[in-house]
Amino acid sequence: MTATSPARPRAARRGTRAYRRQLRADALEALIYLVAAAGIALMIADGGLNSTDAASWIATVARAIGIVAAVMMMTQLMLAARDPLIERSIGHDKAMALHSKLGLPAISLMLTHAVMLIVSTSISSGLGLVETSVEFASLGWWMALAQIAIAVFAIVALTSFAAVRARIAYHRWRWIHLLVYIGVALAIPHQFLEGRTFAWGEPTAWFWLLLWVASIGSFVTYRLARPVLLQLRHHPRVGEVTVLPDGAVSVTITGDGLGRLGAKPGQFFLFSFGRLGGPFAEAHPYSLSAAPGDGLRITVKPAGDGSSAVAHVKPGTPVWIEGPLGIFHDDHRDGDDVLLVAAGIGVTPIRSIVEGLQVGTRATVIIRGRDDQAALLDEVRELAEAKGFAVSEHLGRRGHTWGSADNPTRLLEHVEDPARTELYVCGPIPWADAVVAEALDLGIPAHAVHRERFGW
């Protein structure tokens, strides 16, 4: 954790870190558009607009859609790879939110690309649509694989609709979702062996190959290889399990040199417990509930199958970990004043940030909980008292504000200068939405509002 600088130097730097983060995020987004535009430009340079009839124009549009869809698939791989550059730029939660947002449109474009090519070829050849599809498969093994890929994408698209997804257990839907990566792999060969723009042997093929190598390489390196290396190097395992008065469970993870992971208070890891863990095992994200050192501690509130199972793990159980992840930590702070607001089990990253803040930091901690037995409340009180931080507790039933009915509150009561305040919020989504909206209305800069989202 970096030391807190005096008020004037930190204030002078206000916005600079946020500006650099936003610059990296904008550059990554611009790169996606530039790559797609370059692909379309290469198609046009290859005579893509020299169409003479309806069938050839349909084929041209299909090729353009295919290029855009492929770029989106490359982007999907990069977003899901947990690449440190992307993690530091936009954070894991935003990366996965964008991954989810782009998923169905990318698959839809892939399916549209295939359908339009079948229609175009059917018009020019005079064959029926089914006959044309069969004819495609006979063109070579690469086209047969491409057709299998289309079938895979269709299955994933069908199960991605909310009405269908709601009927499928998460662990089953997750395995169906992983089929996308198989579909992507199956669809790549035909782009070089059947496509015109990036035909193998042409200079443009190297451009396209480099893009696929970069995206697939990032995915293999950070999503598949890194977790295995972490396991082999650090041998993480359960050290201690403690059941808290409110039913939450604190689990301490020990291992060899876990401090070298460089985790920061407020970040989270993906955990899967037991020897059957690994890159494809179902992992769950849990924030660190204590400042990391030679060990890692998480605190979990039993809710679903995964979190409920954590209470039953035994000391010595192997743990597969991925991380550290997220940008919810004090290193991204520019403001002089720190306001930390937590509700429910959202207290976990807030508690670790409180521990990491240096004595003398102007910090206020606001806790929203059901009662005096709220998770980690005693620890927050002790840490805040030792460091001279203010604590405002809002316990009991819900009220008309994001505080409690007996102790309603507004951020205005805790903020001296909104322009110099850095806000950290973690809790249930509707509750956190209310806190963030009030912060922005109060005048806290958007880049100074840090939020950790729980849920999938």
Side-chain angles (χ1 to χ4, degrees):
M1 178 63 63
T2 56
T4 302
S5 303
R8 184 180 299 275
R10 184 177 283 279
R13 292 199 306 272
R14 162 161 285 285
T16 57
R17 294 178 181 177
Y19 174 77
R20 289 195 296 269
R21 290 198 307 274
Q22 188 60 49
L23 189 63
R24 289 196 299 267
D26 290 344
L28 289 172
E29 182 178 358
L31 184 61
I32 297 171
Y33 292 112
L34 286 173
V35 169
I40 298 296
L42 291 173
M43 184 199 76
I44 294 174
D46 188 46
L49 297 183
N50 296 334
S51 303
T52 57
D53 53 28
S56 58
W57 275 112
I58 293 174
T60 295
V61 175
R63 289 172 61 193
I65 290 176
I67 290 172
V68 173
V71 172
M72 292 179 71
M73 286 298 182
M74 295 174 191
T75 303
Q76 289 289 81
L77 288 173
M78 296 289 286
L79 291 172
R82 295 158 195 161
D83 187 303
L85 175 61
I86 295 177
E87 290 289 330
R88 288 194 297 267
S89 299
I90 62 177
H92 182 79
D93 56 344
K94 291 183 180 179
M96 295 314 297
L98 183 56
H99 175 81
S100 299
K101 182 179 179 180
L102 293 179
L104 190 55
I107 291 175
S108 299
L109 288 178
M110 280 289 189
L111 295 174
T112 302
H113 163 75
V115 170
M116 291 184 70
L117 282 180
I118 291 173
V119 170
S120 170
T121 305
S122 176
I123 293 174
S124 60
S125 67
L127 297 175
L129 296 178
V130 175
E131 293 175 289
T132 301
S133 298
V134 174
E135 185 70 20
F136 273 8
S138 66
L139 294 176
W141 59 268
W142 51 90
M143 291 301 292
L145 293 182
Q147 288 190 312
I148 296 174
I150 290 301
V152 168
F153 291 142
I155 293 172
V156 174
L158 179 63
T159 58
S160 295
F161 289 108
V164 178
R165 181 174 172 179
R167 297 174 179 270
I168 303 175
Y170 172 70
H171 66 278
R172 292 193 179 94
W173 176 86
R174 180 178 173 277
W175 280 107
I176 295 173
H177 178 75
L178 291 176
L179 291 175
V180 170
Y181 302 115
I182 297 176
V184 170
L186 295 176
I188 291 175
H190 90 283
Q191 299 173 24
F192 296 98
L193 300 177
E194 189 66 32
R196 287 173 46 190
T197 305
F198 308 111
W200 192 248
E202 298 293 330
T204 53
W206 292 105
F207 166 74
W208 204 240
L209 180 63
L210 179 62
L211 295 176
W212 277 117
V213 168
S215 55
I216 295 176
S218 177
F219 186 86
V220 170
T221 299
Y222 297 109
R223 185 69 180 271
L224 303 182
R226 189 168 186 264
V228 176
L229 292 175
L230 287 178
Q231 186 72 14
L232 295 175
R233 180 179 299 170
H234 299 286
H235 303 99
R237 54 197 176 273
V238 175
E240 184 180 1
V241 180
T242 304
V243 180
L244 304 182
D246 72 325
V249 179
S250 286
V251 179
T252 300
I253 312 298
T254 61
D256 302 331
L258 291 179
R260 296 198 301 270
L261 293 174
K264 299 177 176 63
Q267 290 190 298
F268 69 94
F269 285 75
L270 296 174
F271 296 88
S272 56
F273 295 88
R275 297 188 182 280
L276 297 180
F280 293 106
E282 183 176 347
H284 297 268
Y286 296 122
S287 293
L288 299 177
S289 62
D294 293 333
L296 308 173
R297 193 189 76 171
I298 59 175
T299 301
V300 181
K301 185 75 171 179
D305 293 341
S307 55
S308 297
V310 174
H312 304 291
V313 299
K314 304 298 182 183
T317 301
V319 185
W320 284 79
I321 62 175
E322 290 185 61
L325 300 169
I327 55 176
F328 192 75
H329 55 78
D330 183 54
D331 277 10
H332 285 162
R333 178 164 65 93
D334 291 314
D336 301 302
D337 301 334
V338 183
L339 181 60
L340 305 110
V341 188
I345 202 61
V347 71
T348 53
I350 296 297
R351 186 260 181 233
S352 67
I353 292 177
V354 170
E355 184 179 1
L357 290 174
Q358 291 200 350
V359 175
T361 303
R362 295 200 299 269
T364 299
V365 187
I366 303 176
I367 300 295
R368 171 74 178 94
R370 292 182 179 178
D371 51 43
D372 199 51
Q373 300 298 316
L376 305 178
L377 178 57
D378 287 344
E379 294 186 15
V380 172
R381 288 169 174 165
E382 292 174 6
L383 287 169
E385 182 179 0
K387 298 192 174 193
F389 302 161
V391 177
S392 179
E393 299 175 13
H394 303 267
L395 309 177
R397 58 189 178 88
R398 296 178 181 177
H400 297 296
T401 70
W402 48 267
S404 64
D406 297 332
N407 188 12
T409 188
R410 296 290 182 185
L411 290 181
L412 181 62
E413 302 172 20
H414 308 280
V415 175
E416 179 179 335
D417 182 356
R420 298 164 64 93
T421 298
E422 207 87 8
L423 173 67
Y424 294 82
V425 182
C426 188
I429 293 176
W431 174 88
D433 286 342
V435 176
V436 170
E438 187 175 319
L440 296 177
D441 289 342
L442 186 61
I444 296 178
H447 64 72
V449 176
H450 311 279
R451 176 177 177 176
E452 188 69 290
R453 294 178 179 269
F454 287 170
W456 66 279

